[in-house]
Amino acid sequence: MTELSALVERVEKLRGTMVLCVGDAMLDRFVYGSVERISPEAPIPVLCIERETAMLGGAGNVVRNLVAVGAAPAFVSVVGDDTAGREVTRLVGEHGEIDPCIVVEPGRQTTIKTRFFASNQQLLRADRESRSPVGDSIRAQLLQRVERLLPKAGVMVLSDYGKGVLAEPIAAELIRRAKAAGKQVIVDPKGTDYTIYAGATLVTPNRKELHEATGLLVDTDEQVVAAARLLIETCGFEAVLVTRSQDGMSLVRADGQINHLPAEAREVFDVSGAGDTVVATLAAALASGATLPEAAHLANVAAGIVVGKVGTAVAYAEELVVALHHEDLTLGEAKIVPVNAAAEIIDRWRRKGQSVGFTNGCFDLLHPGHVSILAQAKGACDRLVVGLNSDASVQRLKGPTRPVQSEASRATVLSSLATVDLVVIFGEDTPMELIEALKPDVLVKGADYTIDKVVGADLVQSWGGKVVLAELVNGQSTTNTIKKMNGN
């Protein structure tokens, strides 16, 4: 088995791994709009707000990434008794995979980070937060909940954003208890004094944080290694994984081994939350039994995926597999994607002002009729997404002898066409759920349908989209092709 195939197999083993994450929960708000003029009151842009979204941030984003790769995380954190705290709790509750242990501290301000975007660019970030350590009674509750969860965890993550959950002496106590239980501890550190994390298995500073924690230069490979070794010697870490932006990552271990991993992404859109992705993927991999170099490789691939997205994004297990199979391709060039990844790519297209079309079918034995419909569909939009019936779905619709080609073969053929921008395989008999998830601007079907018979037409029209009926090529169908092959 090659190293690549072993890593692909490792991704499958991430599913169901239990990782305990303790740290500062936040609410990330994103405000999107357009800027068409400068304010007459001051030399600043006027943002015309078009939409707003909210998601888990801080340690919550680590948990989101754990869910994305298929892990089963437990989340221990603290929020205030306020609207933002209730929103964080609600968002955690939306993920059935998460075992939530959220403690409410009256009078505490739940951290909110609000980012304002226009034309795919961040204009401003506004923070509302509390940095004070949690109270003694809250600390006792945190330790009690961690003690209950530790026996089931494969790895414990401490995600320190400096908002008080992991303030001294709680980080040291958590590490002591985890090590006593034989658990590995990964720390995403904050501040300059890393002795508060002494004894942790691994810490993940970025280049700037490494410089601030050691006072050493970190411009070259050799300098990064020297600074990491200083942390290992002074804090008793087993390893340090340094994230180095465009220079990739460096894994430095106490046993003297060094691994420099090149950056995976060709085009960077947004580095927000990339460190959380690294920590989550690393933790899930180690919990599944991976070696440190294997876990670091997967974390590097995951980081390359998320920096190619906008906002606080996550890397899905399916995307990791695609990236491992196509390490010479960017995520945008890999056309066959799961629905979650497709929704994120479509969101990125829309932020660039591009319209999105959708059509669907079995596409078994691609023929000129298919090519014509796809060309017409592409002509009605900027980007075309094709929903492809899975093998099981085709068999239910067409009978036990179909499909002639597997879903993988059909998806590969479709993705090779210049008219097709994305292919999403769905297992239902109709594409209704897929249409609802992707919300296309244009829905295209053949003219053998009427608009009232097109699945999803009412949905697309409800959000202002349009339905297009494409002209058919006479005599062209997969059924006719099969009959000719059989001499009928």
Side-chain angles (χ1 to χ4, degrees):
M1 181 181 292
T2 65
E3 180 186 1
L4 178 60
S5 59
L7 284 172
V8 171
E9 187 176 281
R10 175 60 58 189
V11 174
E12 296 302 315
K13 294 178 180 177
L14 303 184
R15 299 192 182 279
T17 56
M18 204 291 213
V19 175
L20 171 57
C21 180
V22 187
D24 300 294
M26 303 179 190
L27 185 65
D28 278 352
R29 291 196 184 281
F30 298 87
V31 181
Y32 300 97
S34 58
V35 173
E36 298 178 353
R37 62 193 180 97
I38 300 298
S39 171
E41 302 164 1
I44 55 174
V46 176
L47 180 68
C48 182
I49 296 173
E50 297 167 353
R51 63 189 179 93
E52 299 182 35
T53 61
M55 62 182 63
L56 293 171
N61 191 45
V62 175
V63 175
R64 286 181 63 233
N65 275 275
L66 285 165
V67 170
V69 297
F75 186 28
V76 178
S77 190
V78 178
V79 296
D81 185 15
D82 52 18
T83 301
R86 289 186 284 275
E87 180 76 350
V88 167
T89 303
R90 183 189 68 80
L91 289 169
V92 171
E94 288 183 352
H95 297 283
E97 306 91 339
I98 301 173
D99 183 358
C101 295
I102 308 297
V103 180
V104 178
E105 184 173 34
R108 189 174 194 82
Q109 167 68 59
T110 303
T111 298
I112 309 171
K113 292 184 178 180
T114 305
R115 298 172 175 89
F116 298 86
F117 286 85
S119 302
N120 217 25
Q121 297 293 322
Q122 189 174 158
L123 301 179
L124 175 70
R125 194 182 93 183
D127 293 357
R128 187 176 295 172
E129 63 186 19
S130 171
R131 299 182 183 180
S132 59
V134 297
D136 292 343
S137 64
I138 300 298
R139 184 184 302 122
Q141 290 184 57
L142 291 178
L143 290 172
Q144 184 180 41
R145 297 185 187 202
V146 168
E147 194 71 31
R148 175 176 63 83
L149 292 165
L150 260 178
K152 299 182 289 184
V155 169
M156 183 170 74
V157 171
L158 301 185
S159 179
D160 194 352
Y161 274 80
K163 309 306 178 190
V165 173
L166 294 173
E168 291 188 83
I170 194 167
E173 180 61 20
L174 289 171
I175 293 168
R176 185 191 67 77
R177 295 190 184 195
K179 299 297 280 188
K183 307 297 181 179
Q184 298 182 84
V185 182
I186 298 173
V187 179
D188 189 359
K190 193 71 173 179
T192 59
D193 181 10
Y194 285 15
T195 60
I196 64 174
Y197 311 119
T201 307
L202 179 144
V203 292
T204 61
N206 60 34
R207 192 202 307 261
K208 179 174 180 288
E209 290 168 338
L210 181 64
H211 165 68
E212 291 173 345
T214 62
L216 300 178
L217 294 176
V218 289
D219 298 322
T220 66
D221 288 354
E222 293 75 15
Q223 290 171 343
V224 166
V225 170
R229 282 179 171 160
L230 178 61
L231 287 182
I232 290 171
E233 293 167 4
T234 55
C235 302
F237 302 139
E238 293 181 24
V240 175
L241 180 66
V242 186
T243 55
R244 303 172 60 191
S245 189
Q246 73 276 5
D247 294 325
M249 299 180 184
S250 295
L251 176 64
V252 182
R253 288 182 278 176
D255 62 9
Q257 297 190 54
I258 300 165
N259 299 86
H260 294 297
L261 305 170
E264 294 282 344
R266 291 185 182 178
E267 188 172 9
V268 175
F269 283 93
D270 195 336
V271 298
S272 301
D276 298 329
T277 301
V278 169
V279 170
T281 309
L282 195 71
L286 290 175
S288 75
T291 65
L292 260 178
E294 287 174 335
H297 189 156
L298 281 180
N300 195 40
V301 171
I305 291 169
V306 296
V307 298
K309 303 178 182 183
V310 176
T312 309
V314 298
Y316 296 98
E318 298 90 344
E319 293 175 308
L320 284 171
V321 171
V322 168
L324 287 167
H325 281 314
H326 305 276
E327 286 196 337
D328 60 328
L329 298 175
T330 64
L331 177 62
E333 293 169 318
K335 293 183 179 180
I336 306 168
V337 297
V339 61
N340 289 333
E344 291 186 349
I345 294 170
I346 288 170
D347 187 47
R348 189 161 73 235
W349 289 339
R350 284 207 174 99
R351 290 172 188 169
K352 295 179 179 179
Q354 297 174 328
S355 61
V356 178
F358 178 89
T359 191
N360 66 279
C362 301
F363 296 98
D364 199 9
L365 299 182
L366 200 69
H367 54 68
H370 290 143
V371 174
S372 175
I373 287 178
L374 292 171
Q376 292 176 68
K378 179 66 172 182
C381 60
D382 297 313
R383 297 282 192 169
L384 178 62
V385 181
V386 176
L388 180 67
N389 290 78
S390 68
D391 289 348
S393 176
V394 174
Q395 192 171 56
R396 290 194 300 272
L397 296 171
K398 302 289 187 179
T401 62
R402 299 283 295 277
V404 176
Q405 298 188 97
S406 70
E407 61 191 54
S409 299
R410 291 181 285 123
T412 299
V413 172
L414 280 172
S415 67
S416 70
L417 300 177
T419 52
V420 176
D421 294 291
L422 282 182
V423 178
V424 183
I425 299 171
F426 65 96
E428 298 76 27
D429 291 346
T430 77
M432 182 66 82
E433 291 183 20
L434 188 55
I435 291 169
E436 192 168 8
L438 302 184
K439 293 182 170 53
D441 307 299
V442 182
L443 178 61
V444 182
K445 286 297 287 185
D448 50 340
Y449 286 80
T450 55
I451 289 181
D452 62 308
K453 299 296 183 183
V454 175
V455 172
D458 54 342
L459 265 180
V460 174
Q461 290 172 327
S462 73
W463 54 66
K466 65 179 181 179
V467 180
V468 174
L469 299 179
E471 295 179 9
L472 301 179
V473 177
N474 292 331
Q476 293 292 336
S477 74
T478 300
T479 302
N480 288 339
T481 302
I482 293 174
K483 286 180 179 179
K484 290 178 183 178
M485 292 169 62
N486 292 332
N488 296 327

